[in-house]
Amino acid sequence: MRRLLCASSLLSLVCAAPALAAPSAAAALPLAAAPDIPRGQLTDAVKPSAYRLDLTVDPNLERFSGKVEIDAVLTASSTFVDLHGRDLAMKRAVATAAGKAYPGTWAQVDPTGVARLTFAEPLPAGAVTFAFEYDAAFQSGPAGMFRVKVGDDWYSWTQLESIDARAVFPAFDEPGLKQPFTVTLRTRPGHVAVSNAPEVSTTLEGGFEVHRYAPTLPLPTYLVAMMVGPFVVDEGVVPPTPQRAKPLPLRIVTTKQNAGKTAFALEGSKGIVQHLEAYFDQPFPYPKLDQITTPILPGAMENAGADLYADPILIMEESAPTGQKRNFGMIVSHELAHQWFGDLVTPAWWDDIWLNESFANWMGYRNGNEWRPDLNIGAGALSEGFAAMHTDALVAGRAIHQPITTNAQIDEAFDTITYGKGGHVVAMIAGYMGDSKFRDGVRRYMAAHTYGNATSRDFFAAMAEAAGDPRIVPAMQSFTDQQGVPLVTFTPTKRGGYSVTQSRYAGLGVTAPDTRWGIPLCVRRLTATIQQCQLLADGGGALTLPGKGAVVPNAGGTGYYRFELPAKDWNALIAKAPTLSGGEALALADSLYASFQAGRAKPEQLIALARQLAKHKDSYASEAGVEAVQTLSGTGMLGDEGKAGFRRLMESLYRPRLAALGFDPRAGAHAKDDPERSQKREQVVYQLVDGARDTALRKQLGEAAAAYLGGDTQALDPSWYSAALGVWLEQGGMPAAKQLIEKALASQDPVFRPTALEAIGRSGKADVARWVLDEFKDTRLRTSERLGLVRGVVQTGGTRDMGFDWLKANFDELLAGGGGIFFASRLPQMVGGYCSVERANDIATLMGPKLAGKTGALALERTIERVRNCGALKAARGAEAARAFAQLK
C-alpha cells in the first residue's frame, strides 16, 4: 500500500504458535474453559486451505450479502473456533466434518473483529469446511467494502489492508495464511465486476448477472479484491518480454466521468511492468492486471492482479503537472513492485510489513526513474527519507521492525518510519552493497519463498549471501530494529583528516537513549569525485580524505544519518551547495536545520543555505533549503518584523526566477517545457504566493480563478488550481466559499474537486471555518471530504484555535465517523501545527484518555512531543531567529 500526499500513498502476518498435540474428543475444551480471546495473532488451531466467496453486491443498496465456505484443517478437537468477522449480521454458521454437520453460534467478541464460533459438541480434529450466510453494511469511507456515488451512479470497491477483510467476509484474516480464493459476484445486469483472477463466465440467474472467476493463486485475505459498478474499461496488453512469452492482459477500470482520460495510465503501466520484470527477472506473477480507480482512497493498494488507486494517480494526460506524473510513476511502480514483493512473497506477520513497504517505496522511486528519467522521480526517495527523520528523531516512536502483539498496533506500522525511513535504509544498503549485488540478493530471496511467506531474517540472510559480507546483517538490523537517527560528528585533526563519532540525535533540551548503529559512512571532498566508504560500527573512527575543499559528510545523500560540523566547515559547504548532487544537498539541508534545532547552527546559516540552494538545478534540492526557514515562519517563531523579513527573502529569491522562467496561468501555456523546468516554476509560484505574498502575482492568479469559475475553462491550468483558488477565496470571503463549494460538488473532476474543497478548508477565515464546521450540510459531500474540510480548518493557522475547540466538542463523533483506513492513527496529526508547551498539555488532556491502548496512541505521543519541543525551541531561540530575519533587506 502507498499513502498519497502521501500513500499512498498515499500501504502481513503470522508467527504461528507452537503446534499442540491433538487431544482426544473427550478432552475438547468447553467454552467456559476456553483460553482468552486472542487480541492479536490467532493460534494455529485452524489452518485454512481454500475459500469460496459468493457475494451479492449492489452498490445502490446500503447492504451486501454473502455465502462463504472455508476449507480448513482443525489441529485438535474443540468446541470453539476463533476467527475474524466485524459487524457481520450472521444468519447461518455451520461446520461440516467427516460428513456430519455441526451448527455453530457466531459471536463477535472484540471491537477489532475477533469472532468466536462455538458448537454444542466438539468438532473432531482433521478436515473441516465452515459455511456462513450473512449480510453487512457498505462503508462510506475507504475501508472494507465501501460505496460512493459518483455523478448519478453508485460504485463499490474493497480496501482490505490491514485488517478489513473481516468486515467483508468471515475469515482467518492474517497475512501468514495464504490460500486460493474462488470468487463469485452477483450484480445488477450491466454492471462491471472485477476480482483478482480472470472472469471465466457470466450468466443471468434470478435477475442477477453472475460473474464467476478462476481460482486465485495463494493469497492472504488482505489482498482480495471485489469491485462492482457501471465502470468504463480501457483494455490493452503488456507486450511480451524476455521473462514472459505471452502478452499480459491489462485494463484501466474507472468511473464514467473519467472515460477518455485513461490513455496515459494504460501506456505508462505497460512500461512500468516491463521494467519490473527485468529487475526481478521473473514474469508478472498473475494472469492479468487491472488498474482500478476510486475517488476517495488516500493512496493506492496492491491487490493481486487488481490494484486500486485514488483517481488523480491514474487519471491524467501527458500535459498534467510534473508532480502528478511523478506520483503516477512512483506510486504505480510501488504498487506493481508489491505484486512480487508482498503478494508473491508475503510477510509472515505484520511486524515484517516494513519489509513489504520499505522495499516497495525504494523500488517505486528506482523503477519510476527508469521508466521516465526526465521526471527525476528517483530524487524523491531521499527527500522522503530525510523528512522521516523529523519523526524518527523524537523520543516517542518505534523501530521500523518491532513486535506487534495486538490488532490496535497494526495500522500504526503504516507510517513515515516504514515508508520514508525504511525506503531510505534500503537505499543506503543497496548503495553500500552495489546495485547488482543487492538485486541478486532480492532475486535469491524471491526464488526461495515464491507464493509463500517470509520474515526479515530470511531477507537479511539473502542479502548477506549476495554481498559475501556477514557484517551487512547486523548493520541492517541496527537500523531496522532500533529507533532514532544517528548523528555523526566530524572533528578536524592536525593532519587534515577528521575524527568521527556517532551518537543518537536529539533536539535542544531532549535527552535521547544511548544508541549505536552499523553506519555505512560514505564521505568525499568537494573537489573529489571518488567517495570513501567505511562501516562505522563502533563509537567512532578516523578519516583521511584525499583532495581539497569542503568535506561532504554524506556522499550521494544515501546515508540515513545526520552530521555535525565545525562552523568553518558548515560555511564552506553552504557556499558550495549549488554544486552538490541533489541527494547531498538534501542531506545538507536536513542536517543544518537539525543542528539549529539542537541549539548549534545559527539562523544566519539557514538563511545563507536557502539563498544558495535556490540556485540548485535539482527541483527537490532547490526547495529543500527554504523549507527550514518556512518552518520557522510557520511556527510563529519570527514575530511580525521577522516574518516581514522572511517575506522579503522569499521575494528576493523567487521573483527574479519567475521572470526568467516566465509565467502564464492559462491551461497548457507551458506544456512544452521539460518536467524539471515546469516543476521549478510551480515551486516559484507557490513560494511567491504563500511565502512572499507577492501582490502582482496574487492579483493575476485571482483574476484567472475568477475567469475559470466563470466558465472560461482555458483560463487556469490545473498546476495553479490550489494557489489561484486560495487567493480567490481570500479575496471573496464567504460568498466565494459558497460559490466554490457548489462548483466543487457539482464536479467529478479528480483534480479540481478535491483541490477546491481543500482550499475552502484552508481558507484561514473564521466565518468560513465556522460555516464549514457547524452549518454546511450537503448529501453530495462524501465522508472523506467532510473529514478533509475539518482537517483543513484545524491545520490552518488562522483557524487552528477554532478548529481545536471544535475537536474538543466533537472528538468522539469524529473518531467513529467512518474515515477509513488509517484515519484514527492520523487524527492526532491534525493538531501537530501548534508550537507551545501549553498546547501540548491541552492535546494530551483531550486525546490521551480517548486513544489510550488504541490505534492512534503512538501518533498522539509523537504529536505531543513535537508540539512541546517546538515550544521549547521557540522560547530558547525565537528571539535570535526573529532578529536575524528582521535584518534582511
Side-chain angles (χ1 to χ4, degrees), residues 48-69:
S49 59
Y51 284 73
R52 290 176 293 281
L53 309 181
D54 189 332
L55 272 65
T56 300
V57 181
D58 183 351
N60 292 68
L61 304 178
E62 294 185 351
R63 301 182 71 84
F64 63 93
S65 62
K67 297 180 180 180
V68 171
E69 293 182 346

Side-chain angles (χ1 to χ4, degrees), residues 382-392 416 420 424 562 590 627:
L382 299 180
S383 179
E384 188 172 351
F386 286 119
M389 290 184 182
H390 296 298
T391 297
D392 200 25
T416 187
H424 200 137
R562 287 171 165 167
D590 173 77
E627 286 178 352

Side-chain angles (χ1 to χ4, degrees), residues 195-209:
S195 191
N196 304 89
E199 189 170 345
V200 295
S201 71
T202 304
T203 58
L204 194 62
E205 301 175 19
F208 291 100
E209 201 163 87

Side-chain angles (χ1 to χ4, degrees), residues 31 36-40 42 80-88 90 105-118 132 166 169-173 407:
L31 181 59
D36 291 339
I37 301 300
R39 304 301 177 187
L42 300 174
F80 71 93
V81 168
D82 289 330
L83 70 167
H84 296 113
R86 189 173 69 241
D87 300 331
L88 305 179
M90 191 61 62
T105 300
W106 172 274
Q108 182 180 329
V109 294
D110 180 271
T112 65
V114 180
R116 178 160 285 182
L117 190 58
T118 58
F132 306 93
R166 63 192 65 180
F169 54 90
F172 298 87
D173 190 16
N407 292 327

Side-chain angles (χ1 to χ4, degrees), residues 216-232:
T216 69
L217 293 162
L219 296 177
T221 49
Y222 79 86
L223 291 175
V224 173
M226 293 172 281
M227 323 303 189
V228 173
F231 294 106
V232 293

Side-chain angles (χ1 to χ4, degrees), residues 689-690 693 698 724-733 736 763 765:
V689 169
D690 293 331
R693 308 277 302 175
R698 292 172 68 84
L725 294 176
V727 170
W728 186 78
L729 268 175
E730 187 174 324
Q731 295 169 345
S763 73
K765 291 184 170 293

